[in-house]
Amino acid sequence: MTEQISPKVCKMKTKKHIVLLIIGIIATITAQCFKMHNPSAYTLGGLLAFILIQPVSYFVILSIIGLIVAAIRRNIRKFWFPILAWLFLVAGLFDIVVGGFTEFVLRPKANQAIEELVRSGKIEELTKFDPRERILGHWSSEDDLTHQYFGPNNHLIIVNLGQQKAVKYSIENFSVIERWIKFNVSGADYDPHTRTMYFLSDGTAWQTIESSFGKFKSKLKHVGPEQSPGGN
């Protein structure tokens, strides 16, 4: 005789599996956020794509697995969703544990060790990309209204709407591995503020300006080696 399950019990089990699925999705998204080292380097669309790619992929893959297992048990309607919920929960919690340990324990130690080797010149391939050298030259905003000329001895010339100003920049920190440099800008009539440039592989960079007026982000492109408006 087949045991009949009351609608009330079925409804409670469904709610439980929905909660498990939601927890799994949140855990997966959280673990994915662990991998995002420089949020300022992403556009809004890129940010959403980066965050959602893992849970969407999991949903597709685990749904297929759930369908296969439910089909083997000969009751897709009864078993598919509970299997999906449990698999998503396990996958999400696994990502949280492994991702958290990797990003907050292993990765900082490895990066610190590599950075020390790079700065000492012991790893030649990585030292070919030095943010302190990469920043030099002529950078322009995407709308071509603002131009920045980084030169030696911390000299920086900013030309905005044709108005030229000579200021100083001092490097606060940088990362060869993550390809960014953080520096302070002062001089002319600028309030002292901090800028961070995240270098991309296509000759462009994201620049984030932090000042008393707020935080501003813009895209820059490398125009050439010129370190002043008149040439080298």
Side-chain angles (χ1 to χ4, degrees), residues 10 50 87 108 142 177 179 217:
C10 288
F50 183 89
L87 287 176
E142 283 189 305
I177 299 172
R179 302 168 70 92
K217 179 182 175 183

Side-chain angles (χ1 to χ4, degrees), residues 109-154:
K109 291 182 179 179
N111 279 359
Q112 183 179 359
I114 294 173
E115 287 283 359
E116 290 176 356
L117 290 173
V118 168
R119 297 187 188 214
S120 66
K122 294 180 179 179
I123 303 181
E124 294 184 1
E125 286 301 315
L126 286 177
T127 54
K128 291 180 181 178
F129 183 91
D130 188 335
R132 295 167 296 182
E133 297 294 329
R134 185 68 182 88
I135 198 175
L136 296 177
H138 179 191
W139 292 84
S140 170
S141 60
E142 283 189 305
D143 56 15
D144 207 37
L145 296 178
T146 303
H147 295 259
Q148 301 179 62
Y149 298 85
F150 291 88
N153 302 318
N154 301 112

Side-chain angles (χ1 to χ4, degrees), residues 21-165:
L21 179 61
I22 292 174
I23 293 173
I25 292 173
I26 293 174
T28 303
I29 291 175
T30 302
Q32 189 69 0
C33 291
F34 289 165
K35 304 175 185 178
M36 185 172 294
H37 306 137
N38 297 318
S40 298
Y42 293 85
T43 60
L44 180 58
L47 194 65
L48 290 175
F50 183 89
I51 291 174
L52 296 178
I53 187 171
Q54 191 80 336
V56 171
S57 300
Y58 274 7
F59 189 87
V60 173
I61 295 171
L62 298 180
S63 292
I64 294 173
I65 295 174
L67 283 172
I68 294 173
V69 175
I72 292 174
R73 302 189 67 175
R74 299 182 179 181
N75 195 331
I76 293 177
R77 184 176 179 181
K78 178 180 179 181
F79 294 113
W80 172 74
F81 186 69
I83 292 172
L84 171 64
W86 280 107
L87 287 176
F88 220 118
L89 176 66
V90 172
L93 295 179
F94 179 83
D95 278 0
I96 282 280
V97 174
V98 175
F101 182 76
T102 300
E103 292 298 323
F104 299 115
V105 179
L106 293 182
R107 187 173 177 276
K109 291 182 179 179
N111 279 359
Q112 183 179 359
I114 294 173
E115 287 283 359
E116 290 176 356
L117 290 173
V118 168
R119 297 187 188 214
S120 66
K122 294 180 179 179
I123 303 181
E124 294 184 1
E125 286 301 315
L126 286 177
T127 54
K128 291 180 181 178
F129 183 91
D130 188 335
R132 295 167 296 182
E133 297 294 329
R134 185 68 182 88
I135 198 175
L136 296 177
H138 179 191
W139 292 84
S140 170
S141 60
E142 283 189 305
D143 56 15
D144 207 37
L145 296 178
T146 303
H147 295 259
Q148 301 179 62
Y149 298 85
F150 291 88
N153 302 318
N154 301 112
H155 288 292
L156 169 61
I157 297 175
I158 300 176
V159 181
N160 185 33
L161 297 174
Q163 186 176 7
Q164 179 176 317
K165 298 179 180 180

